[in-house]
Amino acid sequence: MTFAQFKRMKPVYQRRLVIALLIVFVLFLLVLFAISAGVNAIKVAINTTTLEGVTASNLLSKTNMNTILSTMKQENASEIMVMDSSVVFTSDAVAVQVEMNLVNIVDDGIAENWTLVSDEKKTKLRKVSTEYTNMKALKMRKVPFSTYFPSLERIPVEYLVLNFPLKDGGRFTFTDNFGNNLEPDYAGYITEQGLLGMWVSKIGAVSTFGEEFTPVSTCVPFICSIEEVNSEKSKGKKVVLLEPEDAYVVLLEASPY
């Protein structure tokens, strides 16, 4: 149809034609969106591996570390850099959530971004993207997976439960969001916020420290926050938590299995 033919149409038919074209255009966009979403879902499914029988409570073991390396097709755990992580424990020291962002340095010109998410039901490892660039500079400011992952077994949650217990339902969350976790700048948390420092040696011994402390070796750093139970709002089986509050600086002496 030409524009001249359109102009000769009665106004009512012009409106109907315009509405019909708009509907067709919207349907076309919806189809494109559905196709795009479907392709993305397929990509996510292809790049995601569920670790059989692994949950947050049993994730931290040498066997599972080897499974992760195998899934990422990386034989050398020192070529995987840990960007950040968080581990959540219940008030009775049971891990219920573990999250990690990792960079697998394949070679001088290829690096892969991965995420590890583990909860009370399952553990998933997903390759998020591939970057064609040299990311070996990360080794200057990030702790390698080879010593980071094994050190997580020594998170002193049992020490905290014994010495600083929470009511049933409370949570301890250990978070590493240090831009440079190889040489973490944690002093401000102690001097300005008054957090208590804890050093955990490679044999699991826990000692407290203040602002003058200097780690004797590479460590895996965390800020531990606590979520107390809100007694006023918690009723029966329903547990309501107060806002998380930073409480401790935890440094785990880094070591392999």
Side-chain angles (χ1 to χ4, degrees):
M1 175 181 291
T2 65
F3 183 72
Q5 291 174 318
F6 177 79
K7 290 285 289 182
R8 287 196 296 270
M9 293 175 64
K10 292 182 179 179
V12 64
Y13 295 124
Q14 288 178 342
R15 288 194 297 271
R16 289 177 181 177
L17 179 59
V18 170
I19 293 172
L21 291 175
L22 287 174
I23 292 173
V24 170
F25 180 69
V26 170
L27 290 175
F28 175 72
L29 291 179
L30 289 174
V31 170
L32 286 181
F33 178 79
I35 292 174
S36 177
V39 170
N40 288 334
I42 292 172
K43 286 182 179 179
V44 169
I46 291 174
N47 291 325
T48 301
T49 300
T50 300
L51 306 187
E52 202 66 37
V54 180
T55 63
S57 63
N58 64 14
L59 169 66
L60 303 177
S61 72
K62 186 175 183 179
T63 298
N64 289 332
M65 178 178 177
N66 290 334
T67 300
I68 292 169
L69 294 176
S70 176
T71 302
M72 297 176 70
K73 296 181 174 58
Q74 176 58 266
E75 296 180 358
N76 186 357
S78 295
E79 295 298 322
I80 299 174
M81 301 295 113
V82 181
M83 305 302 289
D84 53 64
S85 72
S86 66
V87 186
V88 181
F89 292 90
T90 63
S91 56
D92 52 357
V94 177
V96 292
Q97 182 177 309
V98 181
E99 295 185 3
M100 302 179 76
N101 287 308
L102 311 167
V103 172
N104 178 22
I105 301 175
V106 179
D107 58 33
D108 289 351
I110 301 177
E112 300 170 340
N113 295 301
W114 291 75
T115 60
L116 174 70
V117 179
S118 183
D119 57 27
E120 297 172 272
K121 297 181 179 180
K122 59 185 178 299
T123 298
K124 291 189 175 183
L125 184 63
R126 180 166 71 93
K127 182 167 72 172
V128 179
S129 62
T130 300
E131 298 187 33
Y132 297 93
T133 184
N134 190 334
M135 299 186 70
K136 287 195 171 184
L138 287 176
K139 295 182 178 182
M140 303 297 293
R141 57 188 181 89
K142 294 295 181 181
V143 180
F145 191 68
S146 56
T147 56
Y148 195 110
F149 190 85
S151 300
L152 298 182
E153 284 191 329
R154 289 181 281 106
I155 289 178
V157 64
E158 293 181 357
Y159 175 89
L160 292 176
V161 168
L162 181 63
N163 293 279
F164 308 97
L166 301 177
K167 290 183 179 179
D168 287 346
R171 295 201 169 191
F172 298 95
T173 300
F174 295 80
T175 305
D176 168 17
N177 272 333
F178 292 92
N180 182 344
N181 59 20
L182 188 62
E183 297 178 353
D185 182 11
Y186 56 83
Y189 290 98
I190 296 174
T191 59
E192 298 173 17
Q193 298 185 36
L195 273 59
L196 177 65
M198 292 186 186
W199 170 259
V200 185
S201 72
K202 62 180 64 178
I203 61 172
V206 181
S207 57
T208 59
F209 65 84
E211 58 187 272
E212 301 299 327
F213 178 77
T214 301
V216 297
S217 61
T218 300
C219 63
V220 176
F222 288 99
I223 299 301
C224 175
S225 61
I226 58 174
E227 291 175 271
E228 296 271 12
V229 173
N230 188 327
S231 301
E232 294 182 359
K233 294 185 177 181
S234 297
K235 305 294 181 182
K237 293 183 178 180
K238 179 184 177 182
V239 176
V240 178
L241 299 175
L242 296 171
E243 289 296 313
E245 180 180 348
D246 291 343
Y248 315 104
V249 174
V250 179
L251 305 180
L252 311 175
E253 185 175 10
S255 64
Y257 282 115

